Amino acid sequence: MHVPDGFIDAPTSAVTAVVAAGALAVSLRGARRELDERTAPLAGLVAAFIFAVQMLNFPVAGGTSGHLLGGALAAILVGPYTAVLCVSVVLLMQGVLFADGGLTALGVNITDMAIVTTVVSYAVFRGLLAVLPRKRRSVTVASFVAALVSVPAAAVAFTLIYAVGGTTDVSLAKVATAMIGVHVLIGIGEAVITALTVGAVIAVRPDLVHGARGLHQRLRLRVDGVLVDAPAPAAPVAVRTSRRTLWVTGLVTSLVLAGFVSFYASASPDGLEKVAHDKGIDRKARKHPASGSPLAGYGVRDVNDSRLSGGLAGVIGVGVTIVAGSTVFWAVRRRRSDDVSPANTVV
C-alpha cells in the first residue's frame, strides 16, 4: 500500500500533503489527552512494532502478498490521535531511510495508511463495543472486525485519490475491483495480527490498552430491593506484568521479528504493487530519491549475505523508529504536563 512517486500527480499529492499536515496537527493536540506517564512509552513501542511487522509480508491469492497497515492496532492500543502519529512516524522512516513509499507521495501515504485506517477502524471498533458485552473478549472481537474493515477502506481511499490524480489512463472500475478484492484478503491477515496482539496485551496489562478503558461495568448490589452501584475498590487491581517488563518484551519481540523472522517473509509483490503492475498504473513511476540510501530496499549496503543484510536493516529500522517515536511522544506528554501545571490552572 506504500504509494511510490509518480503514481499520483503533483497537484493531488500537494492537496493530500495539506490534508496530512492538518491531520497531524490535530493529532498532536489530541494525543496530549491520550498520553500520560504510563502510555507514552507504549506509543513509541507500538510504532516500532508496526515497523517490524510491516516487514513480514504474508502470501495471499494469485502470487500477491500483504502486510500489516497498523492503523487499527495502534488506535486500539494507544488511541486514535496517537495512532495517526505512530503510523506517520513509521511511514516517514520507511520513506527516508528505506526508499519504501515515495517522498512526494508521503501525503498520500499518510492520508491513506495513517488517517483513513485509523478513523475507519476506530469508528467500527467503538460502534461494536457499544453493542457487545463489556468483556475483554469483546475488545478482541471488535479489534478483529475493525482491522478487517480498515484495509479495504484504505484500498477504496487510494482508488478515489487515483481517480482524481492518477498519472495513467487506466479504467477506474478495473483499479477499484482489483484493489478492493485483494485487500479484503489482506485485511484478514491484518485482523488476525491485530486481534492476537491486542488480546496478548489485554491479558497482561488491560489498563494500558486505550480501547479497553472503562471495560468493566460497576458492580451493582441489591439493597432493600433497589439496585445500587457498589463502592469502587479502595486500591487498584494488581497487574501481572510491570510496564518495564512489557516494554522490554515488546522491544525484543520487534527486534526478533524484524531481524530474523523477516527473512522468511513472502517475496511476492504486495497488493498495490501487483495491481499497479497488472493494470499499468506503474508506467509513470519514478525512481525514489532515497534509492541510494545505505538501507534502501531493507538491506545494508556492502553486506553481501542477504540474511544478515536484511536482519541488520530490520534491527536498525526498529531502533530508529522507537527513538523517533519515543521522542515525539515524550514531547507531546511534556506539553500535556505544561498545560496542566499549577501555573496554568485556574482555581
Side-chain angles (χ1 to χ4, degrees):
M1 189 66 78
H2 293 76
V3 179
D5 294 316
F7 277 26
I8 306 298
D9 62 26
T12 306
S13 296
V15 171
T16 58
V18 172
V19 171
L24 290 175
V26 172
S27 297
L28 283 168
R29 194 171 188 86
R32 295 184 205 169
R33 299 190 298 271
E34 294 174 345
L35 296 172
D36 54 29
E37 67 281 354
R38 298 180 308 152
T39 57
L42 180 62
L45 178 62
V46 168
F49 182 77
I50 290 173
F51 175 91
V53 180
Q54 283 195 1
M55 294 183 66
L56 308 181
N57 282 47
F58 49 84
V60 294
T64 308
S65 69
H67 62 71
L68 181 81
L69 298 186
L73 175 62
I76 295 164
L77 288 179
V78 293
Y81 294 108
T82 308
V84 171
L85 301 179
C86 280
V87 180
S88 297
V89 167
V90 173
L91 293 173
L92 182 61
M93 296 300 103
Q94 290 170 332
V96 172
L97 297 178
F98 297 91
D100 188 11
L103 296 185
T104 62
L106 186 59
V108 175
N109 286 321
I110 290 176
T111 299
D112 194 23
M113 295 178 64
I115 301 171
V116 171
T117 58
T118 298
V119 171
V120 170
S121 64
Y122 200 68
V124 172
F125 177 77
R126 280 301 173 193
L128 288 173
L129 281 190
V131 298
L132 291 173
R134 297 176 65 82
K135 298 179 179 179
R136 294 182 183 179
R137 183 175 299 177
S138 297
V139 176
T140 304
V141 171
S143 300
F144 183 94
V145 177
L148 176 63
V149 173
S150 70
V151 178
V156 171
F158 169 79
T159 303
L160 294 176
I161 294 172
Y162 176 80
V164 174
T167 56
T168 53
D169 185 17
V170 179
S171 168
L172 184 61
K174 292 182 179 179
V175 173
T177 300
M179 283 292 292
I180 296 170
V182 72
H183 283 90
V184 167
L185 299 177
I186 294 172
I188 297 173
E190 177 104 10
V192 170
I193 295 170
T194 299
L196 289 175
T197 305
V198 170
V201 178
I202 286 181
V204 295
R205 287 302 299 261
D207 58 309
L208 296 182
V209 178
H210 184 275
R213 292 179 180 176
L215 181 63
H216 297 290
Q217 293 177 319
R218 179 72 65 84
L219 177 64
R220 309 196 77 192
L221 303 176
R222 186 174 297 277
V223 179
D224 296 329
V226 178
L227 286 175
V228 298
D229 289 336
V237 178
V239 295
R240 300 181 186 179
T241 305
S242 69
R243 292 199 303 272
R244 177 177 295 179
T245 300
L246 177 64
W247 194 91
V248 171
T249 301
L251 177 59
V252 171
T253 300
S254 300
L255 291 171
V256 170
L257 291 176
F260 177 73
V261 181
S262 62
F263 181 79
Y264 301 97
S266 172
S268 299
D270 67 22
L272 177 59
E273 291 173 330
K274 179 67 172 175
V275 172
H277 178 73
D278 290 348
K279 305 303 179 184
I281 298 175
D282 60 356
R283 288 198 297 265
K284 294 187 178 181
R286 299 197 304 269
K287 185 177 181 180
H288 198 289
S291 59
S293 165
L295 298 173
Y298 296 94
V300 178
R301 185 192 299 169
D302 298 330
V303 177
N304 297 324
D305 184 277
S306 60
R307 184 191 297 268
L308 179 60
S309 177
L312 286 175
V315 168
I316 292 170
V318 168
V320 172
T321 302
I322 199 167
V323 170
S326 298
T327 300
V328 170
F329 300 124
W330 176 83
V332 171
R333 189 187 72 171
R334 183 176 181 182
R335 184 65 181 271
R336 166 181 168 148
S337 300
D338 292 342
D339 289 343
V340 298
S341 63
N344 296 325
T345 304
V346 178
V347 178

